[in-house]
Amino acid sequence: VQLQASGGGLVQAGDSLMLSCTASGRALSDYAVGWFRQAPGKEREFVAAISWRGASTPYADSVKGRFTISRDNAKNTVYLQMSSLQPEDTADYRCAAKKWLYGTIWTEYDYWGQGTLVTVSS
């Protein structure tokens, strides 16, 4: 499955942004999808994930209550709605997919999209 992430941009602190992860090649409905981010000079970190049925949606503590992950299998797309963005959310965001169960560790994922850059100014 090929993944395409989009929706990044430059925003101000407190603004909202929605990222999209669209799949091609295979139906995304059989896959759990995770979002990960990596800021300059830092390690890649887990942001959020959604199980293949959408029933489970774990979040990193740093984004809980501000970010919402969802999926529309008819559109083969997973979304990450980000609200109350802060400068510390600035990073390259990437989506990834794995069969069935979600994971919170990036090495668990088999398929990766390219990154979309989110920059939050103070």
Side-chain angles (χ1 to χ4, degrees), residues 18 35 48 59 63 65-70 79-83:
M18 186 168 74
W35 283 98
Y59 296 92
V63 306
R66 300 188 299 121
F67 291 12
T68 302
I69 190 170
S70 62
Y79 304 99
L80 184 68
Q81 177 66 50
M82 305 185 295
S83 303

Side-chain angles (χ1 to χ4, degrees), residues 2-48:
Q2 291 80 45
L3 303 174
Q4 176 90 26
S6 61
L10 173 62
V11 297
Q12 294 186 330
D15 284 351
S16 298
L17 205 58
M18 186 168 74
L19 305 183
S20 299
C21 176
T22 301
S24 61
R26 293 184 185 178
L28 198 57
S29 55
D30 292 343
Y31 294 82
V33 174
W35 283 98
F36 295 80
R37 67 185 182 185
Q38 188 167 18
K42 295 188 177 181
E43 294 190 351
R44 186 178 303 172
E45 64 173 353
F46 169 76
V47 176

